[in-house]
Amino acid sequence: MEDAYDIQHDPHPAREVPPARRIPHFGHTLVFFSLTAFCILFTSGITLGILHAHSAETASQYPLPLAAAQGVAYLLTLLCSMPLFPVFWGVPFFTGIQWNLRQAVRQWWKLVLIGIGLSLLAQFADRFVKQPDHVDMLELFKSPLTSWCVAIFGSLLPAFMEEIAFRGFLLPSLATAYDWLSMERTPAGLDRWERTSDHSLPAWIFATVFSSAAFAALHGGQLHGALGPIVVLFAVSVTFSVIRIRTRSVAAAALVHAVYDALLFAEMAVATGGFHHLDKLG
């Protein structure tokens, strides 16, 4: 894919410029993930408190309210992050994570096709691995109305926030950490570190593997530790990372991710007659 312009690099190398800045680095990533965890605990705690005031049932009986609380937590995280991180970076939030919407818009039809193909390929691979006896997400499909809400928001919000977290923060911060640890402690090595914020190929490979492992592990609980589907998710995450690296656009990876998820929900809708026959989901 055509490389997008990287705003972190100076377009006029001949003029004197300050040392290159690498954002987000690992400290920024820790702040973002900590903020996300706090928002999830905060919204879930309030939701459970309200629900327990009206019922003595356990948390497992509230999958829809807790899923909605998690969605609110994602939005709250974003609302806090947008003014917070520019204070550290000196650039707008979406610029700092290299969202680069223009690149996604420019190549949208390619990215949509990649998302469709990736979703079909992952479903084909799932046929050859042992599936979990129970999938937690199916508990969210209680009625046609709630099922459509889950399908619509489930196709958009998780893809948006997960790509910001894993491809916007974790991926580049791991690459930066690798380059710093492997940098030659010589004048030439230090000069390169100060002149450019480009990451090396080994750094990108390292970051892709470990961020994808974290992505797969995050979803492992929903799959009850079923190894086969987790390996498939790992491969899917690697693809998202490659797209983000090649396009220099988190938005491009988010679009592929959203199409990937949307196709899964669309197939569920077709199989259940527009979510009117939810017994077929089993």
Side-chain angles (χ1 to χ4, degrees), residues 145-195:
L145 177 59
T146 58
S147 297
W148 279 112
C149 290
V150 170
I152 293 171
F153 288 101
S155 299
L156 299 175
L157 189 56
F160 178 74
M161 287 301 297
E162 287 177 2
E163 290 310 306
I164 288 177
F166 287 93
R167 257 59 67 173
F169 277 88
L170 186 58
L171 181 71
S173 66
L174 285 173
T176 294
Y178 180 95
D179 276 338
W180 168 249
L181 292 174
S182 62
M183 181 185 68
E184 293 183 4
R185 264 48 180 187
T186 63
L190 182 59
D191 179 66
R192 183 191 180 282
W193 179 264
E194 292 183 344
R195 282 190 298 103

mmCIF file of all heavy atoms in Angstrom, residues 145-195:
data_model
loop_
_atom_site.group_PDB
_atom_site.id
_atom_site.type_symbol
_atom_site.label_atom_id
_atom_site.label_comp_id
_atom_site.label_asym_id
_atom_site.label_seq_id
_atom_site.Cartn_x
_atom_site.Cartn_y
_atom_site.Cartn_z
ATOM 1 N N LEU A 145 -34.433 -6.811 19.090
ATOM 2 C CA LEU A 145 -34.006 -5.426 19.258
ATOM 3 C C LEU A 145 -32.613 -5.352 19.884
ATOM 4 O O LEU A 145 -31.720 -4.658 19.365
ATOM 5 C CB LEU A 145 -35.004 -4.664 20.119
ATOM 6 C CG LEU A 145 -34.633 -3.205 20.425
ATOM 7 C CD1 LEU A 145 -34.485 -2.402 19.139
ATOM 8 C CD2 LEU A 145 -35.674 -2.571 21.353
ATOM 9 N N THR A 146 -32.426 -6.063 21.000
ATOM 10 C CA THR A 146 -31.118 -6.018 21.653
ATOM 11 C C THR A 146 -30.040 -6.650 20.774
ATOM 12 O O THR A 146 -28.890 -6.210 20.784
ATOM 13 C CB THR A 146 -31.163 -6.745 23.004
ATOM 14 O OG1 THR A 146 -31.577 -8.103 22.816
ATOM 15 C CG2 THR A 146 -32.113 -6.042 23.958
ATOM 16 N N SER A 147 -30.409 -7.651 19.999
ATOM 17 C CA SER A 147 -29.444 -8.304 19.117
ATOM 18 C C SER A 147 -28.959 -7.345 18.037
ATOM 19 O O SER A 147 -27.765 -7.313 17.720
ATOM 20 C CB SER A 147 -30.067 -9.546 18.473
ATOM 21 O OG SER A 147 -30.415 -10.512 19.446
ATOM 22 N N TRP A 148 -29.881 -6.566 17.469
ATOM 23 C CA TRP A 148 -29.466 -5.580 16.456
ATOM 24 C C TRP A 148 -28.570 -4.506 17.080
ATOM 25 O O TRP A 148 -27.599 -4.052 16.455
ATOM 26 C CB TRP A 148 -30.688 -4.941 15.805
ATOM 27 C CG TRP A 148 -31.299 -5.775 14.722
ATOM 28 C CD1 TRP A 148 -32.508 -6.391 14.725
ATOM 29 C CD2 TRP A 148 -30.687 -6.094 13.466
ATOM 30 N NE1 TRP A 148 -32.705 -7.080 13.560
ATOM 31 C CE2 TRP A 148 -31.610 -6.917 12.754
ATOM 32 C CE3 TRP A 148 -29.477 -5.785 12.855
ATOM 33 C CZ2 TRP A 148 -31.341 -7.409 11.490
ATOM 34 C CZ3 TRP A 148 -29.210 -6.277 11.594
ATOM 35 C CH2 TRP A 148 -30.129 -7.074 10.921
ATOM 36 N N CYS A 149 -28.889 -4.092 18.297
ATOM 37 C CA CYS A 149 -28.043 -3.092 18.975
ATOM 38 C C CYS A 149 -26.647 -3.647 19.217
ATOM 39 O O CYS A 149 -25.642 -2.952 18.993
ATOM 40 C CB CYS A 149 -28.686 -2.686 20.302
ATOM 41 S SG CYS A 149 -30.201 -1.706 20.141
ATOM 42 N N VAL A 150 -26.590 -4.912 19.666
ATOM 43 C CA VAL A 150 -25.287 -5.548 19.896
ATOM 44 C C VAL A 150 -24.515 -5.653 18.591
ATOM 45 O O VAL A 150 -23.306 -5.398 18.534
ATOM 46 C CB VAL A 150 -25.482 -6.941 20.522
ATOM 47 C CG1 VAL A 150 -24.156 -7.713 20.532
ATOM 48 C CG2 VAL A 150 -26.017 -6.818 21.942
ATOM 49 N N ALA A 151 -25.207 -6.027 17.513
ATOM 50 C CA ALA A 151 -24.540 -6.199 16.221
ATOM 51 C C ALA A 151 -23.987 -4.876 15.697
ATOM 52 O O ALA A 151 -22.850 -4.812 15.210
ATOM 53 C CB ALA A 151 -25.514 -6.798 15.211
ATOM 54 N N ILE A 152 -24.772 -3.812 15.806
ATOM 55 C CA ILE A 152 -24.349 -2.514 15.271
ATOM 56 C C ILE A 152 -23.201 -1.939 16.092
ATOM 57 O O ILE A 152 -22.141 -1.586 15.554
ATOM 58 C CB ILE A 152 -25.530 -1.533 15.232
ATOM 59 C CG1 ILE A 152 -26.576 -2.022 14.205
ATOM 60 C CG2 ILE A 152 -25.057 -0.123 14.877
ATOM 61 C CD1 ILE A 152 -27.872 -1.245 14.233
ATOM 62 N N PHE A 153 -23.413 -1.846 17.407
ATOM 63 C CA PHE A 153 -22.366 -1.262 18.245
ATOM 64 C C PHE A 153 -21.170 -2.201 18.382
ATOM 65 O O PHE A 153 -20.032 -1.750 18.501
ATOM 66 C CB PHE A 153 -22.934 -0.900 19.618
ATOM 67 C CG PHE A 153 -23.844 0.289 19.599
ATOM 68 C CD1 PHE A 153 -25.221 0.127 19.619
ATOM 69 C CD2 PHE A 153 -23.327 1.569 19.541
ATOM 70 C CE1 PHE A 153 -26.071 1.222 19.585
ATOM 71 C CE2 PHE A 153 -24.170 2.679 19.506
ATOM 72 C CZ PHE A 153 -25.543 2.501 19.526
ATOM 73 N N GLY A 154 -21.436 -3.508 18.335
ATOM 74 C CA GLY A 154 -20.351 -4.470 18.428
ATOM 75 C C GLY A 154 -19.455 -4.486 17.202
ATOM 76 O O GLY A 154 -18.302 -4.915 17.271
ATOM 77 N N SER A 155 -19.980 -4.000 16.084
ATOM 78 C CA SER A 155 -19.177 -3.919 14.865
ATOM 79 C C SER A 155 -18.306 -2.668 14.830
ATOM 80 O O SER A 155 -17.287 -2.653 14.134
ATOM 81 C CB SER A 155 -20.089 -3.916 13.629
ATOM 82 O OG SER A 155 -20.858 -5.097 13.560
ATOM 83 N N LEU A 156 -18.702 -1.644 15.566
ATOM 84 C CA LEU A 156 -18.037 -0.351 15.447
ATOM 85 C C LEU A 156 -17.178 0.008 16.657
ATOM 86 O O LEU A 156 -15.978 0.249 16.523
ATOM 87 C CB LEU A 156 -19.090 0.743 15.222
ATOM 88 C CG LEU A 156 -19.946 0.598 13.955
ATOM 89 C CD1 LEU A 156 -21.021 1.677 13.920
ATOM 90 C CD2 LEU A 156 -19.083 0.648 12.714
ATOM 91 N N LEU A 157 -17.789 0.043 17.853
ATOM 92 C CA LEU A 157 -17.086 0.570 19.022
ATOM 93 C C LEU A 157 -15.880 -0.272 19.436
ATOM 94 O O LEU A 157 -14.794 0.281 19.658
ATOM 95 C CB LEU A 157 -18.066 0.742 20.182
ATOM 96 C CG LEU A 157 -17.538 1.489 21.412
ATOM 97 C CD1 LEU A 157 -17.012 2.861 21.017
ATOM 98 C CD2 LEU A 157 -18.633 1.619 22.465
ATOM 99 N N PRO A 158 -16.012 -1.598 19.572
ATOM 100 C CA PRO A 158 -14.820 -2.380 19.953
ATOM 101 C C PRO A 158 -13.694 -2.270 18.938
ATOM 102 O O PRO A 158 -12.520 -2.159 19.315
ATOM 103 C CB PRO A 158 -15.360 -3.819 20.047
ATOM 104 C CG PRO A 158 -16.811 -3.655 20.329
ATOM 105 C CD PRO A 158 -17.218 -2.445 19.548
ATOM 106 N N ALA A 159 -14.028 -2.292 17.650
ATOM 107 C CA ALA A 159 -12.986 -2.167 16.626
ATOM 108 C C ALA A 159 -12.271 -0.832 16.740
ATOM 109 O O ALA A 159 -11.041 -0.754 16.645
ATOM 110 C CB ALA A 159 -13.611 -2.321 15.234
ATOM 111 N N PHE A 160 -13.023 0.223 16.966
ATOM 112 C CA PHE A 160 -12.464 1.568 17.095
ATOM 113 C C PHE A 160 -11.515 1.653 18.286
ATOM 114 O O PHE A 160 -10.361 2.072 18.166
ATOM 115 C CB PHE A 160 -13.615 2.562 17.237
ATOM 116 C CG PHE A 160 -13.198 3.991 17.435
ATOM 117 C CD1 PHE A 160 -12.696 4.737 16.379
ATOM 118 C CD2 PHE A 160 -13.327 4.595 18.675
ATOM 119 C CE1 PHE A 160 -12.312 6.059 16.565
ATOM 120 C CE2 PHE A 160 -12.957 5.914 18.869
ATOM 121 C CZ PHE A 160 -12.449 6.644 17.806
ATOM 122 N N MET A 161 -11.987 1.214 19.460
ATOM 123 C CA MET A 161 -11.186 1.367 20.668
ATOM 124 C C MET A 161 -10.043 0.356 20.736
ATOM 125 O O MET A 161 -8.948 0.677 21.214
ATOM 126 C CB MET A 161 -12.075 1.231 21.902
ATOM 127 C CG MET A 161 -12.968 2.435 22.143
ATOM 128 S SD MET A 161 -12.041 3.989 22.355
ATOM 129 C CE MET A 161 -11.109 3.635 23.848
ATOM 130 N N GLU A 162 -10.273 -0.860 20.278
ATOM 131 C CA GLU A 162 -9.207 -1.866 20.325
ATOM 132 C C GLU A 162 -8.062 -1.492 19.393
ATOM 133 O O GLU A 162 -6.886 -1.735 19.709
ATOM 134 C CB GLU A 162 -9.761 -3.245 19.977
ATOM 135 C CG GLU A 162 -10.612 -3.844 21.087
ATOM 136 C CD GLU A 162 -11.220 -5.183 20.718
ATOM 137 O OE1 GLU A 162 -10.940 -5.678 19.591
ATOM 138 O OE2 GLU A 162 -11.978 -5.743 21.528
ATOM 139 N N GLU A 163 -8.371 -0.907 18.257
ATOM 140 C CA GLU A 163 -7.296 -0.489 17.355
ATOM 141 C C GLU A 163 -6.526 0.700 17.918
ATOM 142 O O GLU A 163 -5.305 0.784 17.764
ATOM 143 C CB GLU A 163 -7.859 -0.165 15.971
ATOM 144 C CG GLU A 163 -8.346 -1.379 15.214
ATOM 145 C CD GLU A 163 -7.316 -2.494 15.184
ATOM 146 O OE1 GLU A 163 -6.170 -2.242 14.770
ATOM 147 O OE2 GLU A 163 -7.652 -3.620 15.595
ATOM 148 N N ILE A 164 -7.214 1.609 18.581
ATOM 149 C CA ILE A 164 -6.501 2.705 19.247
ATOM 150 C C ILE A 164 -5.565 2.141 20.316
ATOM 151 O O ILE A 164 -4.398 2.540 20.426
ATOM 152 C CB ILE A 164 -7.490 3.704 19.869
ATOM 153 C CG1 ILE A 164 -8.186 4.517 18.765
ATOM 154 C CG2 ILE A 164 -6.786 4.639 20.842
ATOM 155 C CD1 ILE A 164 -9.225 5.485 19.278
ATOM 156 N N ALA A 165 -6.067 1.186 21.104
ATOM 157 C CA ALA A 165 -5.277 0.634 22.198
ATOM 158 C C ALA A 165 -4.105 -0.193 21.697
ATOM 159 O O ALA A 165 -2.957 0.020 22.127
ATOM 160 C CB ALA A 165 -6.175 -0.215 23.107
ATOM 161 N N PHE A 166 -4.374 -1.130 20.778
ATOM 162 C CA PHE A 166 -3.344 -2.095 20.391
ATOM 163 C C PHE A 166 -2.488 -1.623 19.222
ATOM 164 O O PHE A 166 -1.285 -1.897 19.196
ATOM 165 C CB PHE A 166 -3.986 -3.442 20.066
ATOM 166 C CG PHE A 166 -4.463 -4.174 21.283
ATOM 167 C CD1 PHE A 166 -5.770 -4.032 21.724
ATOM 168 C CD2 PHE A 166 -3.600 -4.970 22.006
ATOM 169 C CE1 PHE A 166 -6.210 -4.686 22.867
ATOM 170 C CE2 PHE A 166 -4.029 -5.626 23.144
ATOM 171 C CZ PHE A 166 -5.340 -5.487 23.588
ATOM 172 N N ARG A 167 -3.078 -0.955 18.247
ATOM 173 C CA ARG A 167 -2.283 -0.483 17.117
ATOM 174 C C ARG A 167 -1.887 0.973 17.251
ATOM 175 O O ARG A 167 -0.895 1.411 16.671
ATOM 176 C CB ARG A 167 -3.062 -0.689 15.814
ATOM 177 C CG ARG A 167 -2.609 -1.877 14.982
ATOM 178 C CD ARG A 167 -2.687 -3.219 15.685
ATOM 179 N NE ARG A 167 -4.049 -3.655 15.966
ATOM 180 C CZ ARG A 167 -4.361 -4.844 16.446
ATOM 181 N NH1 ARG A 167 -3.411 -5.722 16.747
ATOM 182 N NH2 ARG A 167 -5.616 -5.192 16.675
ATOM 183 N N GLY A 168 -2.652 1.754 18.027
ATOM 184 C CA GLY A 168 -2.297 3.153 18.215
ATOM 185 C C GLY A 168 -1.283 3.363 19.336
ATOM 186 O O GLY A 168 -0.406 4.217 19.224
ATOM 187 N N PHE A 169 -1.409 2.571 20.416
ATOM 188 C CA PHE A 169 -0.517 2.732 21.563
ATOM 189 C C PHE A 169 0.483 1.579 21.699
ATOM 190 O O PHE A 169 1.696 1.802 21.684
ATOM 191 C CB PHE A 169 -1.345 2.844 22.858
ATOM 192 C CG PHE A 169 -1.868 4.218 23.128
ATOM 193 C CD1 PHE A 169 -3.095 4.623 22.615
ATOM 194 C CD2 PHE A 169 -1.156 5.120 23.900
ATOM 195 C CE1 PHE A 169 -3.596 5.894 22.867
ATOM 196 C CE2 PHE A 169 -1.638 6.395 24.158
ATOM 197 C CZ PHE A 169 -2.860 6.788 23.639
ATOM 198 N N LEU A 170 -0.011 0.361 21.891
ATOM 199 C CA LEU A 170 0.879 -0.744 22.254
ATOM 200 C C LEU A 170 1.877 -1.082 21.150
ATOM 201 O O LEU A 170 3.074 -1.278 21.432
ATOM 202 C CB LEU A 170 0.043 -1.977 22.605
ATOM 203 C CG LEU A 170 0.832 -3.174 23.152
ATOM 204 C CD1 LEU A 170 1.599 -2.780 24.419
ATOM 205 C CD2 LEU A 170 -0.105 -4.338 23.441
ATOM 206 N N LEU A 171 1.436 -1.166 19.919
ATOM 207 C CA LEU A 171 2.322 -1.558 18.820
ATOM 208 C C LEU A 171 3.516 -0.616 18.668
ATOM 209 O O LEU A 171 4.675 -1.067 18.703
ATOM 210 C CB LEU A 171 1.523 -1.645 17.513
ATOM 211 C CG LEU A 171 2.303 -2.060 16.268
ATOM 212 C CD1 LEU A 171 2.673 -3.541 16.340
ATOM 213 C CD2 LEU A 171 1.488 -1.776 15.005
ATOM 214 N N PRO A 172 3.312 0.708 18.516
ATOM 215 C CA PRO A 172 4.478 1.582 18.350
ATOM 216 C C PRO A 172 5.332 1.693 19.609
ATOM 217 O O PRO A 172 6.554 1.873 19.510
ATOM 218 C CB PRO A 172 3.865 2.933 17.966
ATOM 219 C CG PRO A 172 2.472 2.879 18.478
ATOM 220 C CD PRO A 172 2.048 1.455 18.365
ATOM 221 N N SER A 173 4.720 1.596 20.780
ATOM 222 C CA SER A 173 5.518 1.707 21.999
ATOM 223 C C SER A 173 6.422 0.495 22.185
ATOM 224 O O SER A 173 7.568 0.624 22.650
ATOM 225 C CB SER A 173 4.616 1.891 23.224
ATOM 226 O OG SER A 173 3.827 0.745 23.473
ATOM 227 N N LEU A 174 5.959 -0.688 21.808
ATOM 228 C CA LEU A 174 6.809 -1.876 21.862
ATOM 229 C C LEU A 174 7.948 -1.769 20.843
ATOM 230 O O LEU A 174 9.086 -2.168 21.125
ATOM 231 C CB LEU A 174 5.985 -3.134 21.586
ATOM 232 C CG LEU A 174 5.067 -3.611 22.722
ATOM 233 C CD1 LEU A 174 4.191 -4.758 22.249
ATOM 234 C CD2 LEU A 174 5.883 -4.036 23.937
ATOM 235 N N ALA A 175 7.633 -1.233 19.653
ATOM 236 C CA ALA A 175 8.674 -1.054 18.640
ATOM 237 C C ALA A 175 9.732 -0.065 19.116
ATOM 238 O O ALA A 175 10.939 -0.274 18.917
ATOM 239 C CB ALA A 175 8.048 -0.577 17.329
ATOM 240 N N THR A 176 9.302 1.007 19.758
ATOM 241 C CA THR A 176 10.246 1.989 20.293
ATOM 242 C C THR A 176 11.116 1.368 21.377
ATOM 243 O O THR A 176 12.336 1.583 21.419
ATOM 244 C CB THR A 176 9.491 3.196 20.858
ATOM 245 O OG1 THR A 176 8.824 3.879 19.778
ATOM 246 C CG2 THR A 176 10.439 4.173 21.545
ATOM 247 N N ALA A 177 10.496 0.589 22.265
ATOM 248 C CA ALA A 177 11.257 -0.063 23.331
ATOM 249 C C ALA A 177 12.309 -1.012 22.753
ATOM 250 O O ALA A 177 13.450 -1.063 23.228
ATOM 251 C CB ALA A 177 10.311 -0.819 24.260
ATOM 252 N N TYR A 178 11.933 -1.752 21.719
ATOM 253 C CA TYR A 178 12.881 -2.682 21.088
ATOM 254 C C TYR A 178 14.057 -1.919 20.486
ATOM 255 O O TYR A 178 15.222 -2.298 20.680
ATOM 256 C CB TYR A 178 12.168 -3.491 20.014
ATOM 257 C CG TYR A 178 13.074 -4.486 19.317
ATOM 258 C CD1 TYR A 178 13.140 -5.809 19.742
ATOM 259 C CD2 TYR A 178 13.876 -4.109 18.236
ATOM 260 C CE1 TYR A 178 13.972 -6.728 19.115
ATOM 261 C CE2 TYR A 178 14.717 -5.008 17.604
ATOM 262 C CZ TYR A 178 14.751 -6.316 18.053
ATOM 263 O OH TYR A 178 15.587 -7.212 17.437
ATOM 264 N N ASP A 179 13.756 -0.861 19.746
ATOM 265 C CA ASP A 179 14.840 -0.094 19.111
ATOM 266 C C ASP A 179 15.760 0.542 20.143
ATOM 267 O O ASP A 179 16.982 0.629 19.933
ATOM 268 C CB ASP A 179 14.250 0.981 18.193
ATOM 269 C CG ASP A 179 13.895 0.441 16.813
ATOM 270 O OD1 ASP A 179 14.465 -0.597 16.424
ATOM 271 O OD2 ASP A 179 13.056 1.052 16.137
ATOM 272 N N TRP A 180 15.194 1.001 21.247
ATOM 273 C CA TRP A 180 16.028 1.611 22.283
ATOM 274 C C TRP A 180 16.948 0.568 22.923
ATOM 275 O O TRP A 180 18.137 0.810 23.135
ATOM 276 C CB TRP A 180 15.144 2.254 23.342
ATOM 277 C CG TRP A 180 15.891 2.660 24.576
ATOM 278 C CD1 TRP A 180 15.809 2.107 25.822
ATOM 279 C CD2 TRP A 180 16.853 3.709 24.687
ATOM 280 N NE1 TRP A 180 16.643 2.735 26.688
ATOM 281 C CE2 TRP A 180 17.308 3.732 26.031
ATOM 282 C CE3 TRP A 180 17.367 4.639 23.784
ATOM 283 C CZ2 TRP A 180 18.256 4.635 26.481
ATOM 284 C CZ3 TRP A 180 18.322 5.545 24.235
ATOM 285 C CH2 TRP A 180 18.751 5.538 25.569
ATOM 286 N N LEU A 181 16.422 -0.609 23.213
ATOM 287 C CA LEU A 181 17.220 -1.641 23.861
ATOM 288 C C LEU A 181 18.274 -2.224 22.920
ATOM 289 O O LEU A 181 19.342 -2.662 23.372
ATOM 290 C CB LEU A 181 16.307 -2.760 24.379
ATOM 291 C CG LEU A 181 15.377 -2.374 25.536
ATOM 292 C CD1 LEU A 181 14.419 -3.505 25.855
ATOM 293 C CD2 LEU A 181 16.186 -1.992 26.779
ATOM 294 N N SER A 182 17.972 -2.238 21.623
ATOM 295 C CA SER A 182 18.907 -2.838 20.659
ATOM 296 C C SER A 182 19.806 -1.800 19.992
ATOM 297 O O SER A 182 20.658 -2.165 19.176
ATOM 298 C CB SER A 182 18.129 -3.595 19.581
ATOM 299 O OG SER A 182 17.297 -2.707 18.843
ATOM 300 N N MET A 183 19.648 -0.535 20.336
ATOM 301 C CA MET A 183 20.429 0.523 19.692
ATOM 302 C C MET A 183 21.913 0.392 20.017
ATOM 303 O O MET A 183 22.293 0.096 21.149
ATOM 304 C CB MET A 183 19.923 1.886 20.168
ATOM 305 C CG MET A 183 20.641 3.077 19.560
ATOM 306 S SD MET A 183 20.088 4.635 20.287
ATOM 307 C CE MET A 183 20.732 4.484 21.963
ATOM 308 N N GLU A 184 22.739 0.609 19.009
ATOM 309 C CA GLU A 184 24.185 0.626 19.234
ATOM 310 C C GLU A 184 24.544 1.848 20.079
ATOM 311 O O GLU A 184 24.194 2.975 19.733
ATOM 312 C CB GLU A 184 24.930 0.682 17.906
ATOM 313 C CG GLU A 184 24.777 -0.563 17.058
ATOM 314 C CD GLU A 184 25.593 -0.475 15.778
ATOM 315 O OE1 GLU A 184 26.319 0.524 15.603
ATOM 316 O OE2 GLU A 184 25.502 -1.397 14.969
ATOM 317 N N ARG A 185 25.226 1.600 21.176
ATOM 318 C CA ARG A 185 25.624 2.716 22.048
ATOM 319 C C ARG A 185 26.903 3.355 21.509
ATOM 320 O O ARG A 185 27.970 3.320 22.123
ATOM 321 C CB ARG A 185 25.841 2.202 23.460
ATOM 322 C CG ARG A 185 24.646 2.343 24.408
ATOM 323 C CD ARG A 185 23.342 1.871 23.824
ATOM 324 N NE ARG A 185 22.218 2.010 24.764
ATOM 325 C CZ ARG A 185 21.025 1.545 24.524
ATOM 326 N NH1 ARG A 185 20.775 0.914 23.393
ATOM 327 N NH2 ARG A 185 20.048 1.701 25.410
ATOM 328 N N THR A 186 26.774 3.917 20.319
ATOM 329 C CA THR A 186 27.881 4.593 19.649
ATOM 330 C C THR A 186 27.391 5.956 19.189
ATOM 331 O O THR A 186 26.176 6.202 19.134
ATOM 332 C CB THR A 186 28.356 3.785 18.426
ATOM 333 O OG1 THR A 186 27.286 3.711 17.473
ATOM 334 C CG2 THR A 186 28.779 2.372 18.827
ATOM 335 N N PRO A 187 28.305 6.875 18.833
ATOM 336 C CA PRO A 187 27.861 8.175 18.312
ATOM 337 C C PRO A 187 26.949 8.040 17.104
ATOM 338 O O PRO A 187 25.972 8.784 16.971
ATOM 339 C CB PRO A 187 29.180 8.873 17.958
ATOM 340 C CG PRO A 187 30.175 8.278 18.898
ATOM 341 C CD PRO A 187 29.765 6.844 19.049
ATOM 342 N N ALA A 188 27.253 7.072 16.198
ATOM 343 C CA ALA A 188 26.413 6.889 15.013
ATOM 344 C C ALA A 188 25.026 6.392 15.393
ATOM 345 O O ALA A 188 24.011 6.841 14.845
ATOM 346 C CB ALA A 188 27.085 5.907 14.052
ATOM 347 N N GLY A 189 24.968 5.461 16.344
ATOM 348 C CA GLY A 189 23.668 4.950 16.775
ATOM 349 C C GLY A 189 22.849 6.013 17.460
ATOM 350 O O GLY A 189 21.634 6.133 17.221
ATOM 351 N N LEU A 190 23.482 6.800 18.319
ATOM 352 C CA LEU A 190 22.771 7.879 19.005
ATOM 353 C C LEU A 190 22.315 8.942 18.015
ATOM 354 O O LEU A 190 21.213 9.499 18.141
ATOM 355 C CB LEU A 190 23.670 8.500 20.069
ATOM 356 C CG LEU A 190 23.054 9.625 20.908
ATOM 357 C CD1 LEU A 190 21.817 9.128 21.639
ATOM 358 C CD2 LEU A 190 24.070 10.195 21.883
ATOM 359 N N ASP A 191 23.120 9.210 16.994
ATOM 360 C CA ASP A 191 22.756 10.207 15.988
ATOM 361 C C ASP A 191 21.516 9.774 15.225
ATOM 362 O O ASP A 191 20.612 10.583 14.977
ATOM 363 C CB ASP A 191 23.926 10.408 15.022
ATOM 364 C CG ASP A 191 23.588 11.427 13.935
ATOM 365 O OD1 ASP A 191 23.396 12.614 14.273
ATOM 366 O OD2 ASP A 191 23.494 11.022 12.751
ATOM 367 N N ARG A 192 21.469 8.485 14.851
ATOM 368 C CA ARG A 192 20.287 7.991 14.146
ATOM 369 C C ARG A 192 19.055 8.067 15.048
ATOM 370 O O ARG A 192 17.968 8.430 14.602
ATOM 371 C CB ARG A 192 20.503 6.550 13.684
ATOM 372 C CG ARG A 192 19.308 6.013 12.880
ATOM 373 C CD ARG A 192 19.382 4.528 12.640
ATOM 374 N NE ARG A 192 18.228 4.071 11.862
ATOM 375 C CZ ARG A 192 17.009 3.875 12.350
ATOM 376 N NH1 ARG A 192 16.765 4.107 13.624
ATOM 377 N NH2 ARG A 192 16.023 3.474 11.578
ATOM 378 N N TRP A 193 19.208 7.739 16.313
ATOM 379 C CA TRP A 193 18.082 7.787 17.253
ATOM 380 C C TRP A 193 17.520 9.196 17.361
ATOM 381 O O TRP A 193 16.304 9.377 17.465
ATOM 382 C CB TRP A 193 18.556 7.293 18.614
ATOM 383 C CG TRP A 193 17.492 7.317 19.666
ATOM 384 C CD1 TRP A 193 17.269 8.303 20.578
ATOM 385 C CD2 TRP A 193 16.501 6.311 19.911
ATOM 386 N NE1 TRP A 193 16.204 7.994 21.385
ATOM 387 C CE2 TRP A 193 15.709 6.774 21.001
ATOM 388 C CE3 TRP A 193 16.206 5.087 19.328
ATOM 389 C CZ2 TRP A 193 14.659 6.023 21.507
ATOM 390 C CZ3 TRP A 193 15.147 4.341 19.838
ATOM 391 C CH2 TRP A 193 14.385 4.810 20.908
ATOM 392 N N GLU A 194 18.393 10.193 17.297
ATOM 393 C CA GLU A 194 17.942 11.570 17.450
ATOM 394 C C GLU A 194 17.437 12.176 16.148
ATOM 395 O O GLU A 194 16.708 13.173 16.178
ATOM 396 C CB GLU A 194 19.093 12.429 17.999
ATOM 397 C CG GLU A 194 19.483 12.085 19.433
ATOM 398 C CD GLU A 194 20.558 13.002 19.970
ATOM 399 O OE1 GLU A 194 21.207 13.701 19.146
ATOM 400 O OE2 GLU A 194 20.746 13.033 21.206
ATOM 401 N N ARG A 195 17.825 11.600 15.014
ATOM 402 C CA ARG A 195 17.445 12.191 13.726
ATOM 403 C C ARG A 195 16.117 11.674 13.196
ATOM 404 O O ARG A 195 15.457 12.371 12.412
ATOM 405 C CB ARG A 195 18.529 11.917 12.686
ATOM 406 C CG ARG A 195 19.761 12.812 12.790
ATOM 407 C CD ARG A 195 20.682 12.641 11.590
ATOM 408 N NE ARG A 195 21.213 11.289 11.472
ATOM 409 C CZ ARG A 195 20.780 10.371 10.613
ATOM 410 N NH1 ARG A 195 19.781 10.647 9.793
ATOM 411 N NH2 ARG A 195 21.321 9.166 10.569
#
